[in-house]
Amino acid sequence: MAISREDVLRVAELAHLGLSPEEVEQYRNHLDAILNYIDKLNELDITNVTPMAQVIYAPATPGAEDSHPELREDIPRPCTIADVVLAGAPEAAKPFFRVPKVIER
Amino acid sequence: MSAPATWTIAGVRAALEAKRISARELAAEFYGRIDRRNSELNAYLTLSPERAYVQADKIDAAVARGDDLPPLAGVPMAIKDVISTRGVRTTCSSKMLENYVPAYDATAVERLEQAGAVLLGKTNCDEFAMGGSNENSAYGPVRNPVALDRVPGGSSGGSAAVVAAGLAVAALGTDTGGSIRQPGSFCGIPGLMPTYGRVSRYGLIAFASSLDKIGPLAGNVADAAAVLHVIAGHDENDSTSAAMPVPDYTAELEKSVKGLRIGVPEDYFGAGLDPEVKEKVEAGIAQLERLGCRRIPLQMPHTDYAIATYYIIATAEASSNLARYDGVRYGLRAPGGTLTEMYRQTRELGFGPEVKRRIMLGTYALSAGYYDAYYLRAQSVRALVARDFADAFQKVDAIVTPTAPTPAFKLGEKSSDPLEMYLADIYTVTGSLAGVPGISVPCGTTKAGLPVGMQIFGPHFGEGCVLQIGQAFEKARGPAN
């Protein structure tokens, strides 16, 4: 198996994901099978291919003044929903969200 | 007991204008149906009668005044539970958001309501839209109204089921790798994935941002077109929504399909395709030829690599998007002595197995030492898949394929093997990666009575063309079930 137990634990730590010992073993098997399948991408020669960085399709509009009409000026606007948002938070003390102490870390 | 009446958008309008029914009575009729059927189907997670009746009363007042009615006046609709609704619980079918109530509406929801739609409630789906069977919901699977022992497809399984069962006239779903088209196919109704950027994603709770799209599921193609027309268009709250004019999709429906070039990629008809599905889709293509379309054989050589590509890109984006569920600002918080402990335990408790699996896979693919080998390579192959489509649309007006390799499978049949479930997305993920629009339209049923869907892809912003072909096919085919 290409994926080790340590790999799984390392990735879980990166993702801040708690896993039970059974889950560690299960995800090890699943990740191994899926990555094994994904290895088929290595069959392709991609030397001269530019990776796709943007899926937005913008056909050229000849003579258009504004090449990105979908973008707007970045003007600050008041947030009118802060109270509702804080009321839905697990723990809040306006205008903050409260979290466990971080100092000891 | 006779079957309940089938309502269409045009039918609702005619009935309201003729004062045969009020919007309030119609909403009540649908809530009655939901009362009778939902415990069996598990398709609605949350109902919003207060909001629905306020809206219905507005429509009835407009009718009483003799006002011109907006395009979706009084139309009872459902919203997939990954789309934000102000004041109405939005769970993403996850324990993580069990009690989450959004403070604002998604743009698509706001536009539906401005157009007069009556929003009945929120529909079940796979958790955070991750799945193809609706079995990944934290609130239990949806059953397929056509065959109760079968899945409705996913991830928009609840939206497809409520439309197919007559518990909503139309619904919003979301499609990342096939999540509108495949449940449409499994439940025997049309489902449309728009072009990336056609419909604002503002308020859609993100799964994979370069792939997510909101689109309609409806009882017929004309209704899907009418809903798309309302939700499409630029939104200043989503800079990836295109500043392209929105055509009158309803008018496009009536255009003749005579002379249109229909590409049929042989790569979509190979091993793994159920023989009955193949037969129905081939018959559908023959029907289109009888309507005057020209069949053009195509090769789309990167089709076979699309699933591997998709499951790297989608999970990488998901691992990043779902980092926000940390117990701080909304949703679940598990007790934990330190901040890091709180994060870990919240995420352990709040996420289901498939979501965790995808976060793990995506984090792995983006982690140091693996980024080039997986993520960057996948983005290159994505460019090749997109090129397959661009090349094809040099030669054809639309591409016709099966929507899914099989009809609806049984509950529990595939849920033990994640890879097997992923492989079933083979025909839908290609268009998702390319960002082009696609519709699934019903093209008959198997001997066992299960619906089969035929998929029609169009070029970027070619929704009008795929709807037009879908409509011509639907008319020629006659009633689906």
Side-chain angles (χ1 to χ4, degrees), chain A residues 27 43 52 72 77 98, chain B residues 236 305 333 353 357 379:
Chain A
Y27 288 130
E43 294 166 11
M52 194 156 159
R72 59 174 161 80
R77 285 179 293 191
R98 286 181 67 96
Chain B
E236 66 164 19
Y305 299 95
R333 174 185 291 192
R357 184 153 46 235
Q379 291 289 33

Side-chain angles (χ1 to χ4, degrees), chain B residues 316-440:
Chain B
E317 294 184 15
S319 74
S320 168
N321 275 324
L322 272 65
R324 72 191 63 179
Y325 303 104
D326 55 9
V328 174
R329 288 151 300 164
Y330 30 65
L332 185 77
R333 174 185 291 192
T338 66
L339 189 61
T340 317
E341 270 308 298
M342 190 273 279
Y343 292 160
R344 285 170 54 89
Q345 284 172 23
T346 297
R347 291 163 68 77
E348 178 172 6
L349 212 64
F351 290 138
E354 179 62 25
V355 173
K356 287 182 188 169
R357 184 153 46 235
R358 295 202 191 189
I359 290 174
M360 294 288 289
L361 181 58
T363 305
Y364 182 83
L366 290 177
S367 65
Y370 297 98
Y371 179 88
D372 285 4
Y374 289 109
Y375 185 73
L376 212 54
R377 176 166 284 267
Q379 291 289 33
S380 295
V381 182
R382 183 178 192 177
L384 294 173
V385 172
R387 194 189 293 169
D388 278 356
F389 277 87
D391 289 348
F393 287 121
Q394 297 290 319
K395 294 176 234 156
V396 301
D397 299 296
I399 298 168
V400 180
T401 76
T403 305
T406 66
F409 43 88
K410 291 207 162 110
L411 285 153
E413 193 180 319
K414 291 192 181 183
S415 46
S416 61
D417 183 353
L419 185 57
E420 193 191 344
M421 192 76 94
Y422 297 173
L423 295 177
D425 299 341
I426 174 89
Y427 306 134
T428 47
V429 290
T430 49
S432 306
L433 290 167
V436 299
I439 193 171
S440 175

